[in-house]
Amino acid sequence: MALIVQKFGGSSVANAERVRNVASRVVETMQAGNQVVVVVSAQGDTTDDLIEKANEINTNASKREMDMLLAAGEEISIALLAMAIEKIGASVISLTGWQAGFKTNAVPGNARIDRIDTERVQSELDKKNIVIVAGFQGLDKYDNITTLGRGGSDTSAVALAAALGADRCEIYTDVDGVYTADPRICPNAKKLDEITYDEMLELASLGANVLHNRSVEMAKKYNVRLEVKSSFEKVPGTIVKEVTNVEKMLIRGVTRDNDVARIAIIGLEDTPGIAFKVFSALAKYGINVDMILQSVGRNGTKDIAFTVTKECLQKTLEVLENLKDTLTYEEVTHRDDLSKVSIVGAGMTNNPGVAAKMFEALFDADINIHMISTSEIKVSTLINVANAEKAVRVIHDKFNI
Ligand code: ADP
Ligand code: ASP
Ligand code: MG
């Protein structure tokens, strides 16, 4: 008898018909002789709708109360799915994240799972129940409800699979696997049979939201066999694992991430310690900086541009404003109509032509690049958001993946 953790995303449980579809798939897995634990997300756009509701009341609500509100979305789903399974006649119980033992750190809105006390889930499995668990949520050490960051239900599922020592973790979603680019943007994208944890982590971190990046990190750490599959069609999905049999492709995928804002500090005095001053001040406020560009100094001044997530933009501007007394600069400008478009692939190490080929694709499409950053496994470019989808398509075509 295998123990399988199955996770169903928001679109997979968006309405009554889809909840019934999930119920019958889960019961089928159980009837095939398996123990089943199911993690579910909030239905359809519920999380976005709840955020909108909060904004109608207070655009500056505390993260603690936001978590209290958002956790409600997943709680609706677990009860509805359990009811649908009861109707089929199978034994089932739904559990909130904290009933299922998810203990997190005390970082509301973006909590990390510290541990899962699995006794309750285990005892329900021993009673031959299908166990339905609310994704995306846990409890901190002060007994506050926390959420794991947008898309976090994937991480709930992988963490639970690791804690229970499950045989595998299946992530069911509205596409039938991981593609070489978002299939909704790029019709030529190809489904990957297998992908390594490292490559998937890079794709997820650079905007391929088919998997929450922390879920991949966790799957790698605990060696959880992950499978991304369609909740609508019964076709093989993509397996995420340590080593793949597939020959190393030069480029594994193309991604875009529109959650980016660029800040430029113009006319900074060109003396040692300036970058340290700027970035240590930002780090003090927990602001994560991504791409950084520093211009060649001229007439004793230089410019520094960098990117942060949109959520951090206001705070970043405030921090820089507060530095005015200790830092000499002409002005700070910012933009949030940008997108980071990246190529990912372990095969690009020692392939100097790769970046140039990507830039050529953008040039051919008359797309201007504002910033560039590279690593052994990726090349990222910052471009206007209006061009992002076209950029994904032309780069994908150029590499002929
Ligand atoms: P769920 O609600 O099931 O968690 P998500 O919307 O979070 O689903 O993730 C699935 C979506 O991820 C797909 O609908 C697809 O548009 C998007 N996506 C982005 N990049 C990729 C990729 N490389 N392969 C597959 N899907 C991708
Ligand atoms: N419901 C949450 C969200 O929309 C978590 C998830 O879907 O994974 O971000
Ligand atoms: Mg998701």
Side-chain angles (χ1 to χ4, degrees), residues 300-382:
T301 70
K302 64 187 171 191
D303 307 329
I304 292 183
F306 57 92
T307 61
V308 296
T309 60
K310 283 183 175 153
E311 197 196 358
C312 292
L313 176 58
Q314 274 319 314
K315 189 80 218 170
T316 303
L317 295 174
E318 280 171 33
V319 172
L320 294 177
E321 183 63 32
N322 292 340
L323 280 181
K324 261 196 144 158
D325 293 340
T326 52
L327 209 65
T328 316
Y329 59 80
E330 275 162 36
E331 60 168 337
V332 171
T333 64
H334 63 92
R335 285 183 68 169
D336 65 358
D337 56 345
L338 301 166
S339 179
K340 184 166 73 167
V341 173
S342 311
I343 51 173
V344 172
M348 71 173 77
T349 324
N350 301 327
N351 261 296
V354 175
K357 198 164 166 179
M358 178 184 187
F359 304 153
E360 187 184 14
L362 293 174
F363 166 63
D364 289 346
D366 203 21
I367 296 172
N368 195 28
I369 303 172
H370 303 301
M371 281 172 101
I372 297 167
S373 79
T374 62
S375 80
E376 281 189 350
I377 197 173
K378 62 130 197 197
V379 181
S380 295
T381 55
L382 193 69

Coordinates of all heavy atoms in Angstrom, one line a residue, residues 300-382:
G300 N 33.0 62.2 -11.0 CA 32.9 62.0 -9.6 C 31.5 61.5 -9.2 O 31.2 61.3 -8.0
T301 N 30.7 61.2 -10.1 CA 29.4 60.6 -9.8 C 29.1 59.3 -10.5 O 29.8 59.0 -11.6 CB 28.2 61.5 -10.0 OG1 28.0 61.6 -11.4 CG2 28.4 62.9 -9.4
K302 N 28.2 58.5 -10.1 CA 27.8 57.2 -10.8 C 26.3 57.0 -10.5 O 25.7 57.7 -9.6 CB 28.6 56.1 -10.3 CG 28.4 55.7 -8.8 CD 29.3 54.6 -8.3 CE 29.2 54.5 -6.8 NZ 30.3 53.6 -6.3
D303 N 25.7 56.1 -11.3 CA 24.3 55.7 -11.1 C 24.2 54.3 -10.6 O 25.0 53.5 -11.1 CB 23.5 55.9 -12.4 CG 23.7 57.3 -13.0 OD1 23.9 58.2 -12.2 OD2 23.6 57.3 -14.2
I304 N 23.3 54.0 -9.7 CA 23.0 52.6 -9.4 C 21.6 52.3 -9.6 O 20.7 53.0 -9.1 CB 23.4 52.3 -7.9 CG1 24.9 52.4 -7.7 CG2 22.9 50.9 -7.5 CD1 25.4 52.0 -6.3
A305 N 21.3 51.2 -10.4 CA 19.9 50.8 -10.6 C 19.7 49.4 -10.1 O 20.7 48.6 -10.1 CB 19.6 50.9 -12.1
F306 N 18.6 49.1 -9.5 CA 18.3 47.7 -9.0 C 16.9 47.4 -9.0 O 16.0 48.3 -9.2 CB 18.9 47.6 -7.6 CG 18.4 48.5 -6.6 CD1 17.3 48.2 -5.8 CD2 19.0 49.8 -6.4 CE1 16.7 49.1 -4.9 CE2 18.5 50.7 -5.5 CZ 17.4 50.4 -4.7
T307 N 16.5 46.2 -8.9 CA 15.1 45.8 -8.9 C 14.7 45.2 -7.6 O 15.5 44.5 -6.9 CB 14.8 44.8 -10.1 OG1 15.6 43.6 -9.8 CG2 15.1 45.3 -11.4
V308 N 13.4 45.4 -7.3 CA 12.8 44.7 -6.1 C 11.4 44.3 -6.5 O 11.0 44.6 -7.6 CB 12.6 45.7 -4.9 CG1 14.0 46.2 -4.4 CG2 11.8 46.9 -5.3
T309 N 10.7 43.5 -5.7 CA 9.3 43.2 -6.0 C 8.5 44.4 -5.9 O 8.8 45.3 -5.1 CB 8.8 42.0 -5.1 OG1 8.8 42.5 -3.8 CG2 9.6 40.8 -5.3
K310 N 7.3 44.4 -6.5 CA 6.4 45.6 -6.5 C 6.0 45.9 -5.1 O 5.9 47.1 -4.7 CB 5.2 45.3 -7.3 CG 5.5 45.5 -8.8 CD 4.3 45.3 -9.7 CE 4.6 45.6 -11.1 NZ 3.8 44.9 -12.1
E311 N 5.8 44.9 -4.3 CA 5.4 45.1 -2.9 C 6.4 45.9 -2.1 O 6.0 46.6 -1.2 CB 5.2 43.7 -2.2 CG 4.4 43.7 -1.0 CD 4.5 42.5 -0.1 OE1 5.3 41.6 -0.5 OE2 3.9 42.5 1.0
C312 N 7.7 45.8 -2.5 CA 8.7 46.5 -1.7 C 9.0 47.9 -2.2 O 9.9 48.6 -1.7 CB 10.0 45.6 -1.8 SG 9.9 44.1 -0.9
L313 N 8.4 48.3 -3.3 CA 8.8 49.5 -4.0 C 8.6 50.7 -3.0 O 9.6 51.5 -2.9 CB 7.9 49.7 -5.3 CG 8.1 51.1 -6.0 CD1 9.6 51.2 -6.4 CD2 7.2 51.1 -7.2
Q314 N 7.5 50.9 -2.4 CA 7.2 52.1 -1.6 C 8.2 52.1 -0.4 O 8.8 53.2 -0.1 CB 5.8 52.1 -1.0 CG 4.8 52.7 -1.9 CD 5.3 54.0 -2.6 OE1 5.8 54.9 -2.0 NE2 5.0 54.0 -4.0
K315 N 8.4 51.0 0.2 CA 9.3 50.9 1.3 C 10.8 51.3 0.9 O 11.5 52.0 1.6 CB 9.3 49.5 1.9 CG 10.1 49.4 3.2 CD 9.2 49.9 4.4 CE 10.1 50.6 5.4 NZ 9.4 51.3 6.5
T316 N 11.2 50.8 -0.3 CA 12.5 51.1 -0.8 C 12.7 52.6 -1.0 O 13.7 53.2 -0.7 CB 12.7 50.4 -2.2 OG1 12.5 49.0 -2.0 CG2 14.1 50.6 -2.7
L317 N 11.6 53.3 -1.6 CA 11.7 54.7 -1.8 C 11.8 55.5 -0.5 O 12.6 56.4 -0.4 CB 10.5 55.2 -2.6 CG 10.4 54.6 -4.1 CD1 9.1 55.0 -4.7 CD2 11.6 55.0 -4.9
E318 N 11.1 55.0 0.5 CA 11.1 55.6 1.8 C 12.5 55.5 2.4 O 13.1 56.5 2.9 CB 10.2 54.9 2.8 CG 8.7 55.4 2.6 CD 7.8 54.5 3.5 OE1 8.2 54.0 4.6 OE2 6.7 54.3 3.0
V319 N 13.1 54.3 2.3 CA 14.5 54.1 2.9 C 15.5 55.0 2.2 O 16.3 55.6 2.9 CB 14.9 52.6 2.7 CG1 16.3 52.4 3.1 CG2 14.0 51.7 3.5
L320 N 15.4 55.1 0.9 CA 16.3 56.0 0.1 C 16.1 57.4 0.5 O 17.1 58.2 0.7 CB 16.1 55.8 -1.4 CG 16.5 54.4 -1.9 CD1 16.3 54.3 -3.4 CD2 18.0 54.1 -1.6
E321 N 14.9 57.8 0.7 CA 14.6 59.2 1.1 C 15.2 59.5 2.5 O 15.8 60.5 2.7 CB 13.0 59.4 1.2 CG 12.5 60.8 1.6 CD 12.9 61.8 0.5 OE1 12.9 61.5 -0.7 OE2 13.1 63.0 0.9
N322 N 15.1 58.5 3.4 CA 15.7 58.7 4.7 C 17.2 58.7 4.7 O 17.8 59.1 5.7 CB 15.2 57.6 5.6 CG 13.8 57.7 5.9 OD1 13.2 58.8 5.8 ND2 13.1 56.6 6.4
L323 N 17.8 58.2 3.6 CA 19.3 58.2 3.5 C 19.9 59.5 3.0 O 21.1 59.7 2.9 CB 19.7 57.1 2.5 CG 19.8 55.7 3.0 CD1 20.3 54.7 1.9 CD2 20.7 55.6 4.2
K324 N 18.9 60.4 2.7 CA 19.3 61.7 2.0 C 20.4 62.5 2.8 O 21.2 63.1 2.2 CB 18.1 62.6 1.8 CG 17.6 62.5 0.4 CD 16.7 63.6 0.0 CE 16.9 64.0 -1.4 NZ 15.7 64.7 -1.9
D325 N 20.3 62.4 4.1 CA 21.2 63.2 5.0 C 22.6 62.6 4.9 O 23.6 63.3 5.0 CB 20.8 63.1 6.4 CG 19.5 63.9 6.6 OD1 19.2 64.7 5.7 OD2 18.8 63.6 7.6
T326 N 22.7 61.3 4.7 CA 24.1 60.7 4.7 C 24.6 60.3 3.3 O 25.7 59.9 3.2 CB 24.0 59.4 5.6 OG1 23.0 58.6 5.1 CG2 23.9 59.7 7.0
L327 N 23.8 60.5 2.3 CA 24.1 60.1 1.0 C 23.9 61.2 0.0 O 22.8 61.9 0.1 CB 23.2 58.9 0.6 CG 23.7 57.9 -0.4 CD1 24.9 57.1 0.3 CD2 22.6 56.9 -0.7
T328 N 24.9 61.5 -0.9 CA 24.6 62.6 -1.8 C 24.2 62.0 -3.2 O 25.0 61.2 -3.7 CB 26.0 63.4 -2.0 OG1 26.5 63.6 -0.7 CG2 25.7 64.7 -2.7
Y329 N 23.1 62.4 -3.7 CA 22.7 61.9 -5.0 C 21.8 63.0 -5.6 O 21.2 63.9 -4.9 CB 22.0 60.6 -5.0 CG 20.8 60.4 -4.1 CD1 19.5 60.9 -4.6 CD2 20.8 59.9 -2.9 CE1 18.4 60.8 -3.8 CE2 19.7 59.7 -2.1 CZ 18.5 60.2 -2.5 OH 17.4 60.1 -1.8
E330 N 21.6 62.9 -6.9 CA 20.8 63.9 -7.6 C 19.3 63.6 -7.5 O 18.5 64.4 -7.0 CB 21.1 64.0 -9.1 CG 22.3 64.9 -9.4 CD 22.9 64.7 -10.8 OE1 22.1 64.3 -11.7 OE2 24.2 64.7 -10.9
E331 N 18.9 62.4 -7.9 CA 17.5 62.0 -7.8 C 17.3 60.5 -7.8 O 18.3 59.8 -8.2 CB 16.7 62.6 -9.0 CG 17.2 62.2 -10.3 CD 16.3 62.5 -11.5 OE1 15.1 62.7 -11.2 OE2 16.8 62.5 -12.6
V332 N 16.1 60.1 -7.4 CA 15.8 58.7 -7.5 C 14.6 58.5 -8.4 O 13.6 59.3 -8.3 CB 15.4 58.2 -6.0 CG1 14.8 56.8 -6.1 CG2 16.6 58.2 -5.1
T333 N 14.7 57.7 -9.4 CA 13.6 57.4 -10.3 C 13.1 56.0 -10.1 O 13.9 55.1 -9.6 CB 13.9 57.7 -11.8 OG1 14.9 56.7 -12.1 CG2 14.5 59.1 -12.0
H334 N 11.9 55.7 -10.5 CA 11.4 54.3 -10.4 C 10.4 54.0 -11.5 O 9.7 54.9 -12.0 CB 10.8 54.0 -9.0 CG 9.6 54.9 -8.7 ND1 8.3 54.4 -8.9 CD2 9.5 56.1 -8.1 CE1 7.5 55.4 -8.6 NE2 8.2 56.4 -8.1
R335 N 10.3 52.7 -11.8 CA 9.3 52.2 -12.8 C 8.8 50.9 -12.3 O 9.5 50.1 -11.8 CB 10.0 52.0 -14.1 CG 10.4 53.2 -14.9 CD 11.0 52.8 -16.2 NE 10.0 52.2 -17.1 CZ 10.2 52.0 -18.4 NH1 11.4 52.3 -19.0 NH2 9.3 51.4 -19.2
D336 N 7.5 50.7 -12.6 CA 7.0 49.3 -12.3 C 6.2 48.7 -13.4 O 5.4 47.8 -13.3 CB 6.1 49.4 -11.0 CG 4.9 50.2 -11.2 OD1 4.7 50.8 -12.3 OD2 4.1 50.2 -10.2
D337 N 6.5 49.2 -14.7 CA 5.9 48.7 -15.9 C 6.9 47.8 -16.6 O 7.0 47.9 -17.8 CB 5.4 49.8 -16.8 CG 6.5 50.8 -17.1 OD1 7.6 50.8 -16.5 OD2 6.3 51.6 -18.1
L338 N 7.6 47.0 -15.9 CA 8.6 46.2 -16.5 C 8.4 44.7 -16.2 O 7.6 44.3 -15.4 CB 10.0 46.6 -15.8 CG 10.4 48.1 -16.0 CD1 11.5 48.4 -15.1 CD2 10.7 48.3 -17.5
S339 N 9.2 43.9 -16.9 CA 9.1 42.4 -16.7 C 10.5 41.8 -16.8 O 11.3 42.3 -17.6 CB 8.2 41.8 -17.8 OG 8.1 40.4 -17.6
K340 N 10.7 40.8 -16.0 CA 12.0 40.1 -16.2 C 11.8 38.8 -17.0 O 11.1 38.0 -16.6 CB 12.6 39.7 -14.8 CG 13.9 39.1 -14.8 CD 14.6 39.1 -13.4 CE 14.0 38.0 -12.6 NZ 14.7 37.7 -11.4
V341 N 12.5 38.8 -18.1 CA 12.3 37.6 -19.0 C 13.7 36.9 -19.0 O 14.7 37.5 -19.1 CB 12.0 38.0 -20.5 CG1 12.0 36.9 -21.4 CG2 10.6 38.7 -20.5
S342 N 13.6 35.6 -18.7 CA 14.8 34.8 -18.5 C 14.8 33.5 -19.3 O 13.8 32.9 -19.6 CB 14.9 34.4 -17.0 OG 14.7 35.5 -16.1
I343 N 16.1 33.0 -19.5 CA 16.3 31.7 -20.1 C 17.0 30.9 -19.0 O 17.8 31.4 -18.3 CB 17.0 31.6 -21.4 CG1 18.4 32.4 -21.3 CG2 16.2 32.1 -22.5 CD1 19.2 32.2 -22.5
V344 N 16.6 29.6 -18.9 CA 17.2 28.7 -17.8 C 17.7 27.4 -18.4 O 17.0 26.9 -19.3 CB 16.0 28.4 -16.8 CG1 16.5 27.3 -15.8 CG2 15.6 29.6 -16.1
G345 N 18.8 27.0 -18.0 CA 19.3 25.7 -18.5 C 20.7 25.4 -17.9 O 21.6 26.2 -18.0
A346 N 20.8 24.2 -17.3 CA 22.1 23.8 -16.8 C 23.2 23.7 -17.9 O 24.4 23.9 -17.7 CB 22.0 22.5 -16.1
G347 N 22.7 23.4 -19.1 CA 23.6 23.2 -20.3 C 24.2 24.5 -20.8 O 25.1 24.5 -21.7
M348 N 23.9 25.7 -20.3 CA 24.4 26.9 -20.8 C 25.8 27.3 -20.2 O 26.5 28.1 -20.7 CB 23.5 28.1 -20.7 CG 23.3 28.6 -19.3 SD 22.3 30.1 -19.4 CE 20.6 29.4 -19.6
T349 N 26.2 26.5 -19.2 CA 27.5 26.8 -18.7 C 28.6 26.5 -19.8 O 28.4 25.5 -20.5 CB 27.8 25.8 -17.5 OG1 26.6 25.6 -16.8 CG2 28.9 26.2 -16.6
N350 N 29.5 27.3 -19.9 CA 30.6 27.2 -20.9 C 30.0 27.3 -22.3 O 30.6 26.8 -23.3 CB 31.3 25.8 -20.8 CG 32.0 25.7 -19.5 OD1 32.4 26.7 -18.9 ND2 32.0 24.5 -18.9
N351 N 28.9 27.9 -22.5 CA 28.4 28.1 -23.8 C 28.2 29.7 -24.0 O 27.2 30.2 -23.8 CB 27.0 27.5 -24.0 CG 27.1 26.2 -24.7 OD1 27.5 26.1 -25.9 ND2 26.8 25.1 -24.0
P352 N 29.3 30.3 -24.4 CA 29.3 31.8 -24.4 C 28.3 32.4 -25.4 O 27.9 33.5 -25.3 CB 30.7 32.1 -24.8 CG 31.3 30.9 -25.4 CD 30.6 29.7 -24.9
G353 N 27.9 31.6 -26.4 CA 27.0 32.2 -27.4 C 25.5 32.4 -26.9 O 24.7 33.0 -27.6
V354 N 25.2 31.7 -25.8 CA 23.8 31.7 -25.4 C 23.2 33.0 -25.2 O 22.1 33.3 -25.7 CB 23.6 30.8 -24.2 CG1 22.2 30.8 -23.7 CG2 24.1 29.4 -24.5
A355 N 23.8 33.8 -24.3 CA 23.3 35.2 -24.0 C 23.1 36.0 -25.3 O 22.1 36.6 -25.5 CB 24.2 35.9 -23.0
A356 N 24.1 35.9 -26.1 CA 24.1 36.7 -27.4 C 22.9 36.3 -28.2 O 22.2 37.2 -28.8 CB 25.4 36.5 -28.2
K357 N 22.6 35.0 -28.3 CA 21.5 34.5 -29.1 C 20.1 35.1 -28.5 O 19.3 35.4 -29.3 CB 21.5 33.0 -29.0 CG 20.7 32.3 -30.1 CD 21.1 30.9 -30.2 CE 20.1 30.1 -31.0 NZ 20.5 28.7 -31.1
M358 N 20.1 35.1 -27.2 CA 18.9 35.6 -26.5 C 18.7 37.1 -26.9 O 17.6 37.6 -27.3 CB 19.0 35.5 -25.0 CG 17.8 36.0 -24.3 SD 18.2 35.9 -22.5 CE 16.6 36.4 -21.8
F359 N 19.8 37.9 -26.8 CA 19.7 39.3 -27.1 C 19.4 39.5 -28.6 O 18.7 40.5 -28.9 CB 21.1 40.0 -26.8 CG 21.5 39.8 -25.4 CD1 22.9 39.9 -25.0 CD2 20.6 39.5 -24.3 CE1 23.3 39.7 -23.7 CE2 21.0 39.3 -23.0 CZ 22.4 39.4 -22.7
E360 N 19.9 38.6 -29.5 CA 19.6 38.8 -30.9 C 18.1 38.6 -31.1 O 17.5 39.3 -31.9 CB 20.4 37.7 -31.7 CG 20.2 37.9 -33.2 CD 20.9 36.8 -34.0 OE1 21.3 35.8 -33.4 OE2 21.1 37.0 -35.2
A361 N 17.5 37.6 -30.4 CA 16.0 37.4 -30.5 C 15.3 38.7 -30.2 O 14.3 39.1 -30.8 CB 15.6 36.2 -29.7
L362 N 15.7 39.3 -29.1 CA 15.0 40.5 -28.6 C 15.3 41.7 -29.6 O 14.4 42.4 -30.0 CB 15.5 40.9 -27.2 CG 15.1 40.0 -26.1 CD1 15.8 40.3 -24.8 CD2 13.6 39.9 -26.0
F363 N 16.5 41.8 -30.2 CA 16.8 42.8 -31.2 C 16.0 42.6 -32.4 O 15.4 43.6 -32.9 CB 18.3 42.7 -31.5 CG 18.7 43.5 -32.7 CD1 18.6 44.9 -32.8 CD2 19.2 42.8 -33.8 CE1 18.9 45.6 -33.9 CE2 19.6 43.6 -35.0 CZ 19.4 44.9 -35.0
D364 N 15.9 41.4 -32.9 CA 15.0 41.1 -34.1 C 13.6 41.5 -33.9 O 12.9 41.9 -34.8 CB 15.0 39.6 -34.4 CG 16.4 39.1 -34.9 OD1 17.2 40.0 -35.3 OD2 16.7 37.9 -34.9
A365 N 13.1 41.4 -32.6 CA 11.7 41.8 -32.3 C 11.6 43.3 -31.9 O 10.6 43.7 -31.5 CB 11.2 40.9 -31.3
D366 N 12.8 44.0 -32.0 CA 12.8 45.4 -31.7 C 12.4 45.7 -30.2 O 11.7 46.6 -29.9 CB 11.8 46.2 -32.6 CG 12.2 47.7 -32.7 OD1 13.4 48.0 -32.5 OD2 11.3 48.5 -33.1
I367 N 12.9 44.8 -29.4 CA 12.6 44.9 -27.9 C 13.9 45.4 -27.2 O 14.9 44.8 -27.3 CB 12.1 43.6 -27.3 CG1 10.8 43.2 -28.0 CG2 12.0 43.7 -25.8 CD1 10.3 41.8 -27.6
N368 N 13.7 46.5 -26.5 CA 14.9 47.2 -25.8 C 15.1 46.5 -24.5 O 14.2 46.1 -23.7 CB 14.6 48.7 -25.6 CG 15.8 49.4 -25.3 OD1 16.9 49.0 -25.7 ND2 15.6 50.5 -24.5
I369 N 16.4 46.3 -24.1 CA 16.7 45.7 -22.8 C 17.2 46.8 -21.9 O 18.1 47.6 -22.2 CB 17.9 44.7 -23.0 CG1 17.5 43.6 -24.1 CG2 18.3 44.0 -21.7 CD1 18.7 42.7 -24.4
H370 N 16.6 46.8 -20.7 CA 17.0 47.8 -19.7 C 18.1 47.3 -18.8 O 19.0 48.1 -18.3 CB 15.8 48.3 -18.9 CG 14.7 48.8 -19.7 ND1 14.8 49.9 -20.5 CD2 13.4 48.4 -19.8 CE1 13.7 50.1 -21.1 NE2 12.8 49.2 -20.7
M371 N 18.1 46.1 -18.4 CA 19.1 45.5 -17.5 C 19.3 44.0 -17.9 O 18.4 43.4 -18.4 CB 18.6 45.6 -16.0 CG 18.8 46.9 -15.4 SD 18.0 46.9 -13.8 CE 19.3 46.7 -12.7
I372 N 20.5 43.6 -17.5 CA 20.8 42.2 -17.8 C 21.5 41.6 -16.5 O 22.2 42.3 -15.8 CB 21.9 42.1 -18.9 CG1 21.3 42.6 -20.2 CG2 22.4 40.6 -19.1 CD1 22.3 42.8 -21.3
S373 N 21.2 40.3 -16.2 CA 22.0 39.6 -15.2 C 22.1 38.2 -15.6 O 21.3 37.6 -16.2 CB 21.4 39.8 -13.8 OG 20.3 38.9 -13.6
T374 N 23.3 37.6 -15.2 CA 23.6 36.2 -15.7 C 24.1 35.4 -14.5 O 24.6 35.9 -13.5 CB 24.6 36.2 -16.8 OG1 25.8 36.7 -16.2 CG2 24.2 37.0 -18.0
S375 N 23.9 34.1 -14.6 CA 24.5 33.2 -13.7 C 24.8 31.9 -14.5 O 24.6 31.9 -15.7 CB 23.6 32.8 -12.5 OG 22.7 31.8 -12.9
E376 N 25.4 30.9 -13.8 CA 25.7 29.7 -14.6 C 24.5 29.0 -15.2 O 24.6 28.3 -16.2 CB 26.4 28.7 -13.6 CG 27.8 29.0 -13.4 CD 28.5 27.9 -12.6 OE1 27.8 27.0 -12.1 OE2 29.7 28.0 -12.5
I377 N 23.4 29.2 -14.6 CA 22.2 28.5 -15.1 C 21.1 29.3 -15.7 O 20.1 28.9 -16.2 CB 21.7 27.6 -13.9 CG1 20.7 26.5 -14.3 CG2 21.1 28.4 -12.8 CD1 20.3 25.5 -13.2
K378 N 21.3 30.7 -15.8 CA 20.3 31.5 -16.4 C 20.8 32.8 -16.9 O 21.9 33.3 -16.5 CB 19.2 31.8 -15.3 CG 19.7 32.6 -14.1 CD 19.0 33.8 -13.8 CE 19.8 34.7 -12.9 NZ 19.3 35.6 -12.1
V379 N 20.0 33.4 -17.8 CA 20.3 34.8 -18.2 C 19.0 35.5 -18.1 O 17.9 35.0 -18.6 CB 20.8 34.9 -19.7 CG1 21.0 36.3 -20.1 CG2 22.0 34.0 -20.0
S380 N 19.0 36.7 -17.4 CA 17.7 37.4 -17.3 C 17.9 38.8 -17.9 O 19.0 39.4 -17.8 CB 17.4 37.7 -15.8 OG 17.1 36.4 -15.1
T381 N 16.8 39.3 -18.5 CA 16.8 40.6 -19.1 C 15.6 41.4 -18.5 O 14.5 40.8 -18.3 CB 16.6 40.6 -20.6 OG1 15.5 39.8 -20.9 CG2 17.9 40.0 -21.3
L382 N 15.7 42.7 -18.3 CA 14.6 43.5 -17.9 C 14.1 44.3 -19.1 O 14.9 45.0 -19.7 CB 15.1 44.4 -16.8 CG 14.0 45.1 -16.0 CD1 13.3 44.1 -15.1 CD2 14.6 46.2 -15.1

